[in-house]
């Protein structure tokens, strides 16, 4: 019942992974290597929209695929939702690898920067991975490779049966990957089996 206010974690996101720790000295030593994950709000800035987390209550529309209407704040009776919902407001924007130096600090080795864009398929927005760019950071100067880019194609997301009065629910599906060395991979989907 609403008065019980049972707390749960709606969602989360990964901050880092640490390597080279022993179970006998888990917290007393620094890890030999780390992978860091950088996240941003699941919103893309545009004119009049900063995507600042503090603005989501007033501008939740711009978090297109985030079901903010299902968010239940602490201390509020959430009678609009009869069960927990699990989702996140975050999107992954970068992955960085680092190694421990003899000085005790960390030195970056590689970074992958992820760029997204909104796709519009059927009646729904869909966050699509637009590109990934790799930068080698262990050399001076850093070496940044060309972007790996992704193209999409609209496909039915469910089997459409004539007369069922239900739309096929169109979604963007990966169609082409153009890599950093000029290669291209095209994705071919088979037709429906039925």
């Amino acid at each position: 019942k609403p008065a019980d206010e049972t707390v749960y974690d709606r969602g989360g996101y990964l901050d880092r992974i640490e390597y080279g720790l022993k179970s006998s000295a888990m917290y007393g030593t620094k890890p030999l290597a780390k992978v860091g994950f950088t996240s941003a709000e699941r919103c893309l800035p545009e004119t009049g929209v900063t995507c600042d987390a503090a603005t989501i209550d007033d501008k939740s529309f711009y978090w297109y695929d985030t079901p903010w209407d299902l968010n239940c704040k602490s201390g509020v009776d959430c009678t609009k939702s009869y069960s927990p919902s699990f989702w996140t407001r975050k999107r992954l924007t970068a992955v960085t690898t680092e190694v421990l130096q003899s000085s005790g600090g960390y030195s970056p080795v590689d970074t992958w920067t992820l760029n997204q864009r909104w796709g519009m398929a059927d009646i729904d927005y869909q966050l699509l991975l637009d590109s990934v760019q790799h930068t080698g950071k262990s050399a001076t100067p850093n070496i940044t490779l060309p972007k790996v880019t992704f193209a999409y194609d609209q496909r039915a997301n469910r089997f459409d049966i004539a007369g069922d009065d239900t739309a096929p629910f169109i979604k963007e599906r990966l169609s082409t990957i153009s890599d950093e060395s000029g290669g291209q991979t095209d994705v071919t989907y088979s037709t429906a089996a039925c």
Side-chain angles (χ1 to χ4, degrees):
K1 58 189 175 185
D4 290 346
E5 199 174 298
T6 303
V7 178
Y8 72 98
D9 288 322
R10 180 194 71 223
Y13 56 95
L14 195 57
D15 178 54
R16 70 183 181 278
I17 298 172
E18 298 177 341
Y19 293 96
L21 295 171
K22 295 183 178 181
S23 61
S24 60
M26 192 68 88
Y27 303 106
T29 59
K30 289 186 172 184
L32 298 176
K34 297 192 299 185
V35 178
F37 300 93
T38 305
S39 298
E41 290 294 316
R42 202 172 174 87
C43 166
L44 301 176
E46 56 185 78
T47 305
V49 181
T50 63
C51 295
D52 184 277
T55 66
I56 194 169
D57 283 326
D58 297 328
K59 298 191 181 229
S60 62
F61 173 78
Y62 295 101
W63 278 256
Y64 295 118
D65 66 347
T66 303
W68 193 246
D69 58 320
L70 297 179
N71 186 50
C72 186
K73 293 182 179 179
S74 182
V76 175
D77 283 346
C78 294
T79 55
K80 63 186 174 198
S81 180
Y82 297 101
S83 65
S85 62
F86 300 94
W87 45 274
T88 182
R89 296 182 349 220
K90 302 293 184 179
R91 61 187 170 90
L92 184 64
T93 58
V95 178
T96 301
T97 60
E98 299 176 298
V99 293
L100 182 63
Q101 300 296 308
S102 57
S103 64
Y106 287 91
S107 176
V109 178
D110 291 293
T111 295
W112 290 267
T113 303
L114 289 74
N115 290 303
Q116 294 95 3
R117 67 179 170 85
W118 289 113
M120 183 68 176
D122 212 354
I123 58 167
D124 220 355
Y125 283 94
Q126 183 179 352
L127 190 63
L128 303 173
L129 182 61
D130 200 36
S131 66
V132 177
Q133 189 163 33
H134 178 203
T135 300
K137 298 199 168 207
S138 60
T140 304
N142 292 344
I143 299 170
T144 300
L145 298 176
K147 292 179 179 180
V148 174
T149 59
F150 304 90
Y152 298 86
D153 173 352
Q154 294 188 0
R155 303 255 173 196
N157 200 45
R158 60 173 285 281
F159 185 65
D160 193 25
I161 300 171
D164 69 356
D165 296 325
T166 305
F169 193 58
I170 305 296
K171 285 292 197 184
E172 300 273 2
R173 295 285 176 238
L174 186 64
S175 62
T176 304
I177 304 167
S178 299
D179 67 32
E180 62 270 282
S181 59
Q184 179 173 307
T185 301
D186 293 320
V187 179
T188 302
Y189 296 92
S190 60
T191 56
C194 302

